Amino acid sequence: MYILYNSILFAAAIVAAPYFLFKIFFTGKYRKSFIQKLGGKQTQILANLKSGPRVWIHAVSVGEVTAAAPIVACLKKKKPDVEIIFSTSTETGQEMAKKFIKDIAAFIYFPLDIPVIVGKMIKMVAPHVFVLVETELWPNFLNACKKHSMKTLMVNGRISPRSYRR
């Protein structure tokens, strides 16, 4: 199943690449996040992480960031020694997260769901737990979490029994 998914993902990337390159070069959209989504610049951002318990929380965009804020606050209140790495998929979500969510060890962009990039990011962040806000499920990322024996959970989301079986 992953071979089929990755084949479709690769084909879609080839078709979509001109559009995204146009947006980056001519409108500036995705300029801040593109390199980081490929796993670049993350070493500098994650350089000051301490050893100890680490939680990676991912909120896709503005709405999910709003939903994640009380979760982060509650987690930090109950477990102040936990380092939280917070990721978003969009630049507007990242800007909002930096304004409204406090006590974060690092803000990063969620990697593209390409196995090599996902594996690199999981090794760099080295979280004990991955928390997904809402239901944006990325098969390669979740498979890598499983391979690294990372606990994963979804908050503020729902999934049908039929989808769960798949």
Side-chain angles (χ1 to χ4, degrees):
M1 184 151 133
Y2 287 104
I3 293 171
L4 176 62
Y5 170 74
N6 286 318
S7 298
I8 293 169
L9 188 66
F10 181 73
I14 290 172
V15 171
Y19 169 79
F20 286 103
L21 291 173
F22 176 82
K23 287 286 199 181
I24 290 167
F25 290 116
F26 294 105
T27 69
K29 192 169 184 176
Y30 311 117
R31 196 172 286 166
K32 292 178 188 174
S33 62
F34 185 70
I35 296 298
Q36 289 185 44
K37 288 180 180 186
L38 293 174
K41 295 185 181 179
Q42 304 293 26
T43 305
Q44 301 155 337
I45 295 168
L46 299 168
N48 295 325
L49 293 179
K50 301 171 191 154
S51 62
R54 199 173 291 163
V55 175
W56 180 346
I57 298 176
H58 175 62
V60 178
S61 190
V62 174
E64 293 84 4
V65 168
T66 303
I71 295 166
V72 172
C74 183
L75 179 59
K76 285 306 282 187
K77 184 177 180 181
K78 291 185 183 255
K79 299 282 186 181
D81 60 324
V82 169
E83 285 208 304
I84 299 173
I85 293 79
F86 197 93
S87 67
T88 61
S89 293
T90 66
E91 293 174 1
T92 53
Q94 183 96 174
E95 289 169 14
M96 185 170 179
K98 286 179 179 179
K99 286 180 187 174
F100 296 108
I101 299 180
K102 305 299 177 213
D103 295 323
I104 298 295
F107 288 98
I108 61 174
Y109 285 99
F110 194 76
L112 296 177
D113 199 38
I114 299 168
V116 173
I117 297 170
V118 165
K120 175 183 174 183
M121 286 302 301
I122 287 176
K123 285 179 186 173
M124 279 195 284
V125 175
H128 297 90
V129 177
F130 174 73
V131 179
L132 178 63
V133 180
E134 297 288 341
T135 52
E136 186 173 294
L137 305 175
W138 293 103
N140 288 323
F141 188 88
L142 294 173
N143 189 42
C145 289
K146 185 178 179 181
K147 285 181 183 176
H148 286 86
S149 301
M150 276 174 36
K151 292 181 172 108
T152 58
L153 60 112
M154 180 174 51
V155 296
N156 199 42
R158 63 178 201 192
I159 189 166
S160 71
R162 182 177 173 214
S163 295
Y164 181 77
R165 283 192 306 272
R166 291 183 188 164

